[in-house]
Amino acid sequence: MIQLLAPDGTLRADPRFPLDVTPALCRDLHRDMFLARRFDQEALALQRQGELGLWLMALGQEAAQVGSIRAVAAHDHVFPSYREHAAALCRGISPAEILAQWRGVAHSGWDPARYRFHIYSLVLGAQALHATGYAVGVRLDGAQEVVLAYFGDGASSQGDVNEALNWAVVARAPIVFFCQNNQWAISTGTAQQMGTPVHVRAAGFGLDTYFVDGNDVLAVHAVTAQAADRVRAGGPPVLIEAFTYRIAGHSTSDDPRIYRSEAEVDLWRERDPVARLTTLLRAEGWADEEHFEQLDREARKLAEETRAACLSLPDPTLEETFRHTFAQEPPLLRQEREAMSAYQAGFTDGADR
Amino acid sequence: MIQLLAPDGTLRADPRFPLDVTPALCRDLHRDMFLARRFDQEALALQRQGELGLWLMALGQEAAQVGSIRAVAAHDHVFPSYREHAAALCRGISPAEILAQWRGVAHSGWDPARYRFHIYSLVLGAQALHATGYAVGVRLDGAQEVVLAYFGDGASSQGDVNEALNWAVVARAPIVFFCQNNQWAISTGTAQQMGTPVHVRAAGFGLDTYFVDGNDVLAVHAVTAQAADRVRAGGPPVLIEAFTYRIAGHSTSDDPRIYRSEAEVDLWRERDPVARLTTLLRAEGWADEEHFEQLDREARKLAEETRAACLSLPDPTLEETFRHTFAQEPPLLRQEREAMSAYQAGFTDGADR
Amino acid sequence: MITLGQALNRGLRAAMTRDPRVVVMGEDIGRLGGVFRVTSGLQQEFGADRVMDTPLAESGIVGTAIGLALRGYRPVCEIQFDGFVYPAFDQIVSQLAKMRARSAGRLALPVVIRIPGSGGIGAVEHHSESNEAYFVHTAGLRVVTCATPADGYTMIQQAVTGDDPVIFYEPKCRYWDKAEVDEDAPLAAAPALHAARTVRAGRDLTVLTYGSMVRPALVAAQIAHEEGRSVEVVDLRSLAPLDLPAVLSSVRRTRRAVVVHEAPTTLGLGAELSALLTEHCYLEMEAPVLRVGGYNIPYPPARAEERYLPDADRILEAVDASLAY
Amino acid sequence: MITLGQALNRGLRAAMTRDPRVVVMGEDIGRLGGVFRVTSGLQQEFGADRVMDTPLAESGIVGTAIGLALRGYRPVCEIQFDGFVYPAFDQIVSQLAKMRARSAGRLALPVVIRIPGSGGIGAVEHHSESNEAYFVHTAGLRVVTCATPADGYTMIQQAVTGDDPVIFYEPKCRYWDKAEVDEDAPLAAAPALHAARTVRAGRDLTVLTYGSMVRPALVAAQIAHEEGRSVEVVDLRSLAPLDLPAVLSSVRRTRRAVVVHEAPTTLGLGAELSALLTEHCYLEMEAPVLRVGGYNIPYPPARAEERYLPDADRILEAVDASLAY
Ligand SMILES: Cc1ncc(C[n+]2csc(CCOP(=O)(O)OP(=O)(O)O)c2C)c(N)n1
Ligand SMILES: Cc1ncc(C[n+]2csc(CCOP(=O)(O)OP(=O)(O)O)c2C)c(N)n1
Ligand SMILES: [Mg+2]
Ligand SMILES: [Mg+2]
């Protein structure tokens, strides 16, 4: 497992990945993770208060997400699964745009073209094929882009993901599959999910592979950067398995105590991805107290903005879904929509619907 | 690639598979292949004469099929794809039972329980999951059986096959996957199908794997026997990739000249699985001319019986399909069936339907 | 008083106790007991060999269940949510539904596929779909759904006992509904799995519905009653095969019918019922069969679902239209 | 005179010539030109980058086509036979059909999925299915089918030109039918993709049908004509959305309707048409809408298919029943 920053915050030399970590890079990555975590916590609070229908925390996976997305170019298209909130924030997607889906005001809240970040895919693994097809298009265009596709350890069991791995190799698709192995698929541990690590399986399909400490943002960043470079240079598709851990429950509806021990969770809390980089920044003197206080203020502001933006999200109308079902709305559907609207209008606002 | 009998008919020593080939075994395997080929040719003729709607020849794959099925026990359940005619004959399935499907008088012609040989699966890869589930049942029963599942190089791209490989490892299913890589999926060559050999991919999933000369019946037999023994002894599931060649077109509807050269086919004709064993039998003096003449007579008899049995297959009635749709026929469906029968009866036999 | 979820759990336990060949399998159904806890406690009681947590692959779940059935087992599969049954569609439609016919009656596949279906719980996309029509259109499958704890308890046992594959829908919005369930009543005494049930008698019009919509239909019938109109409500329970005799005997009496379901109306079950009623009692009807269903659009975001789902108001609107005809 | 297969081939060629973003993909469609040769010669003409032989995986075909569409391409996928579309069902129903709605209208997926459908060619199992109802029930998809070379030539081009996903059924038993096709007529002059067409005018009854069943319907109409009854035949062409105005204007005139298709009648398209006609012209009808379709069983072995498929005789029986009503 590739590791450049140990859990205790000390740097590890790895010949394959010469340490070219600058203070600025470390501060940036740390900031991204720190803010993502604060956002995550605020979203959790909002859900507990009934403002979100559901929330899936990225807690513990910030390094895997920030390190990978920061290592590709802004124009490289990304296909997330549904837990990549830290990655989404790095792409400039606003808290409100992320929360819209979980508040139930939309199925997705952002413009995928604007952020080069596809909508979340809740049907596990489906996006692996979309990403592969998109990457084939990149090759046909002769563009210098790379596609980054996220999926989880559980999703790796789906036929779609395996079809995608094979397809990417055969079609020479410029793609980097990024598997966040957080060791759990709801209550199903990886031992019940697969017989070998995903990166070993991917190598069997013919992809170049990396196995990296997913809680080490520097390693994830270095590995993903190298992978993207090689794919951009015409190399075979890559799969990166980032070994990390889902600190929170699967979602706010989940009760992880039923299927895993607190001791296991504590073990991973000690390998926290944010803490180890904080330690490094302090040890190396790359960030002073003022920096951290400033970051705290920023985080608090982000939390407040997140809450305010969430609460002010407009409720959806059924008309929208009608209008978004077809590019050219069929006459019959238009009639159905108009009848529905007329019917709805028959109820005075706030009345029994 | 494991090979014990070279194309020129000479034996090759392989430390992993000590040659314990007896004259009797060689004669039996040769006989199975020889008769299967004659049956295959007769079926082709029947199709050309309009007596079969379609036929898919096993020509060239006799060693892969005979060598593998003869290496497992009679009580080991088999899940074929749709080209395993040689394997089916080895299980005692009659020519008529095999041809029923291709003459269009039934979707399958034999009793899977009687022959421990499942019906053909035309939806590529689907049977890989059925075989895996069946094998899980074998484990739950604590039975000493092994499941043998066939699929092709093309089918290996299906999600179902990959889900099965992973599932078998996770569920410790006593199963041997047997992939006949005949290098073609209709017009699609393996280079357009996969980036690595199937056995390499399977190893990535955690299966024990073998790569064997599929035109060498002795190697296929030895490898499959060892694989079955190990699985029976509680070892991990196995995948055997048998490298062979589809000498004929994909089916009688196919015109292979459009996508591959005669030269390629000729090359493989020289690696004929039956011829090389004939050579060995003659060279070692394990079979005399009388033996071969006797075999010819047997083959001719099989061909005649095949033709006669095929032509005497009764046409299907629609009633049968009605009766076989549910275990307990719903009243509505019974009414529908009775109305249909009454309607059909309204037409004098041989009249305009 | 137990909930529908508990009733299903006890029904499964009874089925597993009765027949050692019954096994339960699916994602997170073992240690966790399923995301809705319907299989809660079963793994502790029957062991991990009979209550199997599977890899995350629906085609794999149904495909291996078929293999287990071929081996003599009676698998009960759980699909975690309605919207995740599609990866298993080929295994269900080409294998599970057709294996008996394809094998000329030689092979039986007693497999039950449990699906927490329909919406109304404010879930994210893919978690609120009513896709029963796909399976009703597929010859070879039995498709049933329960609306009450009592039905959940008996129907799941009947489904497991039969020799045909069954798609078993559980209205997830009703999992927490409570009612008395007589667990000692002999299963043989329960109405047949394919039988519909009149849940409210009436004279002027028949509302044909099932699953999650039975309750709003009853609310509508009560309101209609207070307004002096007598509405009969029939819980179909079995969607394939349909209990046509029961449907016809009710509609022939009331001469008016409204079909209610969450699924989009286009080729939803209402279309088949309308066509059947037209074919069987055309002259007895006094008004066209009217359909109240989901709109013909993808299921909307949670905060719009209340307006998407049929409710007592929309049912009453159709009832009024039919009666005014 | 060219065959339907050739007409589709030329329509695809025209579409690819017109728009460089159009790519064709599927199993064996490149070098071989497809098992029905519909894409024959296209790879030689447009190269392997625009005419892609794919790995053997239907979910992969549709899933990667979706990705290509997201990248700006306009993929035309071929599913080799009707019975092999099911592995792609999730990608079609949850992704292709819903992506526009799921993305609040931000994403368009101009993907065409060509399916050689229906039976009648004496094929083995899974090669003769009529599964259009699954897709008609799925909001977000356009489902169309062509019955003649002329329609094949224009409709495939219109399907490729539109911005909505289209499931394009080709009646494989008609691939070898020949007819004149005016390839120079401007596409804009052709009837819209969603428009039905009256293929035979009549006064006494309307037969609503599509695809492979148009021909037997016309034969039946001719026989009826010789027996002094005037039967109108409407080729629906578009199954989703339905051209309801055209259907209603015909049936309001004839006051009688028979729906004909190969698919099993239970929740087949006939159910929807019957329900719609009941809802829209209940009082104008003089007989119940009757359905002639495949029986509610899996498609039978080839040597029984002639008795399974609707033909002129069965259509006439329904016509007689309706007229005698
Ligand atoms: C096809 C499909 N089946 C089932 C589910 C229900 N489900 C949602 S998340 C989840 C576990 C996913 O685990 P993993 O892929 O490891 O991602 P993680 O939640 O750990 O980020 C399951 C079973 C789904 N969303 N899609
Ligand atoms: C799911 C599915 N897709 C497509 C087909 C059509 N088809 C039949 S055989 C075949 C090629 C199969 O190749 P392979 O798996 O190598 O087996 P082989 O024919 O070489 O024995 C194809 C594409 C099918 N039967 N099933
Ligand atoms: Mg996980
Ligand atoms: Mg092959």
Side-chain angles (χ1 to χ4, degrees):
Chain A
M1 188 171 72
I2 301 160
Q3 186 183 72
L4 302 181
L5 179 62
D8 65 7
T10 59
L11 290 170
R12 294 278 173 86
D14 183 320
R16 295 161 302 173
F17 301 93
L19 282 165
D20 57 358
V21 289
T22 68
L25 175 67
C26 291
R27 278 192 301 267
D28 291 348
L29 295 175
H30 176 269
R31 179 174 173 282
D32 289 335
M33 294 195 290
F34 192 87
L35 294 178
R37 178 165 294 184
R38 188 65 188 80
F39 164 74
D40 206 4
Q41 285 159 345
E42 193 60 26
L44 175 67
L46 283 162
Q47 196 283 334
R48 294 299 183 213
Q49 291 152 17
E51 297 299 342
L52 296 181
L54 184 77
W55 183 245
L56 286 77
M57 296 191 82
L59 185 63
Q61 301 177 221
E62 295 89 350
Q65 295 182 22
V66 169
S68 53
I69 196 132
R70 283 302 187 192
V72 298
H75 61 266
D76 291 332
H77 213 76
V78 178
F79 286 82
S81 184
Y82 50 76
R83 200 186 288 281
E84 284 67 40
H85 317 311
L89 289 170
C90 288
R91 274 296 168 99
I93 298 177
S94 76
E97 288 174 320
I98 295 172
L99 297 186
Q101 177 170 16
W102 310 99
R103 186 166 169 84
V105 304
H107 289 315
S108 67
W110 61 87
D111 178 355
R114 175 176 168 203
Y115 300 106
R116 317 285 336 241
F117 197 86
H118 191 62
I119 64 175
Y120 279 164
S121 288
L122 270 56
V123 178
L124 291 162
Q127 76 279 8
L129 284 169
H130 305 160
T132 301
Y134 190 99
V136 170
V138 167
R139 177 172 60 74
L140 298 183
D141 292 347
Q144 283 307 301
E145 300 168 33
V146 168
V147 173
L148 178 61
Y150 291 96
F151 63 85
D153 47 287
S156 72
S157 295
Q158 286 286 348
D160 275 6
V161 168
N162 294 284
E163 289 187 9
L165 295 179
N166 182 57
W167 200 289
V169 174
V170 172
R172 294 174 288 107
I175 183 169
V176 174
F177 293 102
F178 194 93
C179 177
Q180 292 177 77
N181 176 359
N182 62 10
Q183 305 180 58
W184 290 98
I186 304 186
S187 73
T188 308
T190 42
Q192 285 174 291
Q193 197 66 249
M194 60 193 78
T196 58
V198 171
H199 70 93
V200 172
R201 183 199 315 177
F205 274 100
L207 290 90
D208 277 356
T209 60
Y210 298 85
F211 183 48
V212 62
D213 178 350
N215 286 16
D216 171 354
V217 71
L218 297 183
V220 172
H221 188 267
V223 162
T224 310
Q226 181 183 98
D229 287 348
R230 292 185 175 175
V231 169
R232 228 181 285 278
V238 170
L239 179 133
I240 298 170
E241 177 176 350
F243 193 66
T244 178
Y245 192 80
R246 194 197 74 208
I247 295 289
H250 168 71
S251 75
T252 47
S253 311
D254 184 33
D255 178 1
R257 289 164 310 177
I258 297 175
Y259 54 82
R260 69 182 188 186
S261 72
E262 261 310 306
E264 175 184 308
V265 182
D266 291 339
L267 188 77
W268 282 91
R269 284 216 180 80
E270 288 158 20
R271 301 176 187 166
D272 186 85
V274 184
R276 69 173 83 171
L277 190 54
T278 310
T279 311
L280 177 72
L281 287 172
R282 285 217 159 86
E284 301 284 341
W286 289 346
D288 54 16
E289 282 322 304
E290 168 50 22
H291 171 86
F292 292 109
E293 282 158 22
Q294 165 56 27
L295 194 53
D296 266 325
R297 283 191 293 276
E298 226 184 305
R300 228 174 295 110
K301 188 153 156 301
L302 171 66
E304 285 155 14
E305 287 167 359
T306 296
R307 168 167 298 263
C310 173
L311 300 186
S312 61
L313 280 167
D315 272 353
T317 66
L318 218 45
E319 277 83 356
E320 297 165 46
T321 308
F322 269 94
R323 292 184 184 283
H324 296 147
T325 299
F326 289 100
Q328 293 141 294
E329 187 176 42
L332 268 184
L333 195 61
R334 201 191 63 246
Q335 286 172 29
E336 192 178 332
R337 172 170 55 77
E338 289 165 351
M340 181 277 299
S341 303
Y343 174 77
Q344 295 297 340
F347 296 87
T348 51
D349 279 7
D352 62 333
R353 13 204 338 108
Chain B
M1 187 171 74
I2 300 160
Q3 187 183 71
L4 303 181
L5 179 63
D8 64 8
T10 57
L11 290 170
R12 295 278 173 85
D14 185 318
R16 294 162 302 173
F17 302 93
L19 282 166
D20 56 0
V21 288
T22 68
L25 174 67
C26 291
R27 277 194 301 269
D28 290 348
L29 295 174
H30 176 270
R31 179 173 172 282
D32 288 336
M33 294 195 291
F34 191 87
L35 294 178
R37 178 165 295 185
R38 188 64 190 81
F39 165 74
D40 207 2
Q41 284 159 346
E42 193 59 26
L44 176 67
L46 284 163
Q47 196 283 333
R48 294 298 182 214
Q49 292 152 17
E51 297 298 341
L52 296 182
L54 183 78
W55 183 246
L56 286 76
M57 296 191 83
L59 186 61
Q61 301 177 220
E62 295 89 350
Q65 294 181 23
V66 170
S68 53
I69 196 129
R70 283 302 186 192
V72 298
H75 61 266
D76 290 333
H77 213 76
V78 178
F79 286 83
S81 183
Y82 49 75
R83 200 186 289 280
E84 285 66 42
H85 317 312
L89 289 170
C90 288
R91 274 296 168 102
I93 298 176
S94 76
E97 287 174 320
I98 295 172
L99 297 185
Q101 177 169 19
W102 310 99
R103 185 167 170 84
V105 304
H107 289 316
S108 66
W110 62 85
D111 178 354
R114 175 176 169 202
Y115 300 106
R116 316 290 332 245
F117 197 86
H118 191 62
I119 64 174
Y120 279 163
S121 288
L122 271 55
V123 178
L124 291 162
Q127 77 280 9
L129 284 168
H130 305 160
T132 301
Y134 190 98
V136 171
V138 168
R139 177 171 61 72
L140 297 184
D141 292 346
Q144 284 307 301
E145 300 167 34
V146 168
V147 173
L148 178 62
Y150 292 96
F151 62 85
D153 47 285
S156 73
S157 295
Q158 287 286 349
D160 275 6
V161 169
N162 294 284
E163 288 188 9
L165 295 179
N166 182 57
W167 200 289
V169 174
V170 172
R172 295 174 287 108
I175 184 169
V176 174
F177 293 103
F178 194 92
C179 177
Q180 290 178 76
N181 176 359
N182 62 11
Q183 304 179 58
W184 290 97
I186 304 186
S187 73
T188 308
T190 42
Q192 284 173 293
Q193 197 68 250
M194 60 194 78
T196 58
V198 172
H199 70 92
V200 172
R201 184 200 312 178
F205 274 100
L207 290 89
D208 278 356
T209 61
Y210 299 85
F211 182 47
V212 62
D213 178 350
N215 286 16
D216 172 354
V217 71
L218 298 182
V220 172
H221 188 267
V223 162
T224 310
Q226 181 181 98
D229 287 347
R230 291 186 177 176
V231 168
R232 229 180 284 277
V238 170
L239 180 133
I240 297 169
E241 177 176 350
F243 193 65
T244 179
Y245 193 81
R246 194 197 73 209
I247 295 288
H250 168 69
S251 74
T252 46
S253 311
D254 185 33
D255 178 2
R257 290 164 310 177
I258 297 177
Y259 53 81
R260 69 182 189 186
S261 72
E262 262 310 304
E264 176 184 307
V265 182
D266 290 339
L267 188 77
W268 282 91
R269 282 215 181 80
E270 289 157 19
R271 302 178 187 165
D272 186 86
V274 184
R276 71 173 79 171
L277 192 52
T278 310
T279 310
L280 178 72
L281 287 172
R282 284 215 161 86
E284 301 284 341
W286 289 345
D288 55 16
E289 282 322 302
E290 168 48 25
H291 170 87
F292 291 110
E293 281 158 24
Q294 164 57 25
L295 193 54
D296 265 323
R297 283 191 294 278
E298 227 184 306
R300 226 174 297 113
K301 187 152 157 303
L302 172 66
E304 285 155 16
E305 286 166 3
T306 296
R307 167 167 299 264
C310 174
L311 301 186
S312 60
L313 280 167
D315 271 354
T317 66
L318 218 45
E319 277 83 357
E320 295 166 46
T321 308
F322 269 92
R323 293 184 183 284
H324 296 146
T325 299
F326 289 100
Q328 292 140 295
E329 187 175 43
L332 268 184
L333 195 61
R334 199 190 64 247
Q335 286 171 30
E336 192 178 331
R337 172 171 55 78
E338 289 164 353
M340 180 278 298
S341 302
Y343 173 77
Q344 295 297 338
F347 294 88
T348 50
D349 278 8
D352 61 331
R353 22 202 331 114
Chain C
M1 302 267 283
I2 59 173
T3 66
L4 172 59
Q6 291 166 324
L8 289 161
N9 178 270
R10 297 191 191 180
L12 284 170
R13 175 178 283 106
M16 295 186 76
T17 306
R18 194 178 300 121
D19 185 347
R21 297 169 306 164
V22 177
V23 294
V24 176
M25 56 196 289
E27 297 156 6
D28 307 296
I29 60 125
R31 234 175 335 162
L32 183 61
V35 294
F36 290 107
R37 304 295 186 269
V38 171
T39 55
S40 186
L42 297 181
Q43 190 177 65
Q44 290 87 317
E45 185 170 345
F46 298 100
D49 276 354
R50 288 187 66 191
V51 182
M52 301 178 254
D53 275 318
T54 67
L56 211 169
E58 287 73 16
S59 191
I61 291 169
V62 177
T64 56
I66 288 170
L68 279 158
L70 291 171
R71 179 70 187 184
Y73 286 88
R74 296 181 155 266
V76 180
C77 308
E78 172 175 300
I79 298 296
Q80 203 161 71
F81 283 93
D82 35 71
F84 307 136
V85 72
Y86 306 124
F89 204 73
D90 178 66
Q91 286 290 348
I92 295 174
V93 164
S94 290
Q95 307 299 328
L96 186 61
K98 300 187 175 75
M99 192 70 80
R100 174 178 289 273
R102 291 174 53 209
S103 66
R106 298 184 184 102
L107 298 174
L109 292 181
V111 174
V112 176
I113 298 180
R114 293 181 40 244
I115 304 178
S118 58
I121 64 166
V124 286
E125 57 174 357
H126 312 300
H127 291 67
S128 306
E129 304 192 2
S130 297
N131 40 31
E132 61 273 11
Y134 294 130
F135 302 116
V136 172
H137 180 58
T138 306
L141 296 175
R142 291 180 183 272
V143 184
V144 304
T145 184
C146 52
T148 67
D151 272 353
Y153 179 72
T154 54
M155 290 175 77
I156 189 63
Q157 294 181 68
Q158 294 169 315
V160 173
T161 311
D163 285 334
D164 292 315
V166 179
I167 309 296
F168 193 96
Y169 281 97
E170 301 166 2
K172 63 173 79 74
C173 64
R174 299 282 172 259
Y175 271 137
W176 300 273
D177 283 14
K178 283 197 156 150
E180 288 299 343
V181 174
D182 177 2
E183 298 178 48
D184 305 327
L187 199 56
L193 185 61
H194 65 267
R197 187 201 284 108
T198 304
V199 289
R200 180 183 175 117
R203 290 180 316 280
D204 308 336
L205 180 149
T206 302
V207 172
L208 301 165
T209 187
Y210 53 93
S212 64
M213 288 290 109
V214 172
R215 189 201 274 176
L218 287 170
V219 173
Q222 180 55 32
I223 295 172
H225 168 74
E226 286 151 17
E227 296 170 350
R229 291 156 304 160
S230 171
V231 172
E232 180 151 304
V233 179
V234 173
D235 176 358
L236 295 167
R237 299 184 352 126
S238 175
L239 313 183
L242 278 166
D243 185 355
L244 189 59
V247 170
L248 293 181
S249 74
S250 170
V251 176
R252 286 208 166 104
R253 256 192 302 101
T254 63
R255 303 169 146 261
R256 287 185 164 83
V258 169
V259 188
V260 183
H261 53 62
E262 287 192 27
T265 51
T266 299
L267 279 181
L269 207 70
E272 181 61 27
L273 284 160
S274 176
L276 285 170
L277 287 168
T278 294
E279 287 159 3
H280 289 82
C281 42
Y282 185 68
L283 297 176
E284 288 130 295
M285 302 294 290
E286 289 186 353
V289 177
L290 298 182
R291 297 181 286 175
V292 180
Y295 297 106
N296 295 294
I297 56 177
Y299 200 89
R303 291 199 175 217
E305 79 178 339
E306 188 191 352
R307 268 167 259 117
Y308 175 83
L309 296 173
D311 58 10
D313 293 316
R314 281 177 59 198
I315 296 170
L316 280 169
E317 200 186 45
V319 168
D320 296 344
S322 177
L323 289 172
Y325 211 86
Chain D
M1 301 270 281
I2 59 173
T3 65
L4 172 59
Q6 290 166 326
L8 289 161
N9 178 271
R10 297 190 192 180
L12 283 169
R13 176 178 282 105
M16 295 186 76
T17 306
R18 195 179 299 120
D19 185 345
R21 296 170 306 164
V22 177
V23 294
V24 176
M25 58 197 287
E27 297 156 7
D28 308 295
I29 60 124
R31 232 173 339 159
L32 182 62
V35 293
F36 290 108
R37 305 295 186 271
V38 171
T39 56
S40 185
L42 297 180
Q43 190 177 67
Q44 288 89 317
E45 184 169 346
F46 299 100
D49 276 355
R50 288 188 65 191
V51 182
M52 300 179 254
D53 275 318
T54 68
L56 211 170
E58 288 73 17
S59 191
I61 291 169
V62 177
T64 57
I66 288 170
L68 279 158
L70 291 171
R71 179 68 187 184
Y73 286 87
R74 295 181 157 268
V76 180
C77 308
E78 173 175 300
I79 298 296
Q80 203 162 72
F81 283 92
D82 36 70
F84 307 135
V85 71
Y86 306 125
F89 204 73
D90 178 67
Q91 285 290 348
I92 294 174
V93 164
S94 291
Q95 307 298 329
L96 187 60
K98 299 187 175 75
M99 192 71 79
R100 175 178 289 273
R102 291 173 53 210
S103 66
R106 297 182 184 105
L107 299 174
L109 292 181
V111 175
V112 176
I113 298 180
R114 292 182 39 243
I115 305 178
S118 58
I121 64 166
V124 287
E125 58 175 356
H126 311 301
H127 291 68
S128 307
E129 303 192 3
S130 297
N131 41 31
E132 61 273 11
Y134 294 128
F135 303 116
V136 171
H137 181 57
T138 306
L141 297 175
R142 291 180 184 273
V143 184
V144 304
T145 184
C146 52
T148 68
D151 271 355
Y153 179 72
T154 54
M155 290 175 77
I156 189 65
Q157 293 182 67
Q158 294 169 314
V160 172
T161 311
D163 286 334
D164 291 314
V166 179
I167 309 297
F168 193 96
Y169 281 97
E170 301 166 3
K172 64 173 78 74
C173 65
R174 299 280 171 260
Y175 270 138
W176 300 272
D177 283 13
K178 282 197 157 150
E180 289 297 344
V181 174
D182 177 2
E183 299 179 48
D184 306 327
L187 199 57
L193 185 61
H194 65 267
R197 187 202 285 108
T198 304
V199 289
R200 180 185 176 114
R203 291 181 316 281
D204 307 338
L205 179 148
T206 302
V207 172
L208 301 165
T209 187
Y210 53 92
S212 63
M213 287 290 109
V214 172
R215 189 202 274 176
L218 287 171
V219 172
Q222 180 55 33
I223 296 171
H225 168 74
E226 287 152 16
E227 296 169 350
R229 290 157 305 162
S230 172
V231 172
E232 180 153 304
V233 179
V234 174
D235 176 358
L236 295 167
R237 298 184 351 125
S238 176
L239 313 184
L242 279 166
D243 186 356
L244 189 60
V247 170
L248 293 180
S249 75
S250 171
V251 176
R252 286 207 165 103
R253 254 191 304 101
T254 62
R255 303 170 145 258
R256 287 184 165 83
V258 169
V259 188
V260 182
H261 53 62
E262 286 192 27
T265 50
T266 298
L267 279 181
L269 208 70
E272 182 61 26
L273 284 160
S274 176
L276 285 171
L277 287 168
T278 294
E279 286 159 4
H280 288 83
C281 42
Y282 185 67
L283 297 176
E284 289 130 294
M285 301 296 288
E286 290 187 353
V289 177
L290 298 182
R291 296 181 285 175
V292 180
Y295 297 105
N296 294 294
I297 57 176
Y299 200 88
R303 290 195 177 220
E305 79 179 339
E306 188 191 354
R307 268 166 258 119
Y308 175 83
L309 295 173
D311 58 10
D313 294 317
R314 281 177 61 197
I315 295 169
L316 281 169
E317 196 184 51
V319 168
D320 295 344
S322 177
L323 289 170
Y325 212 85

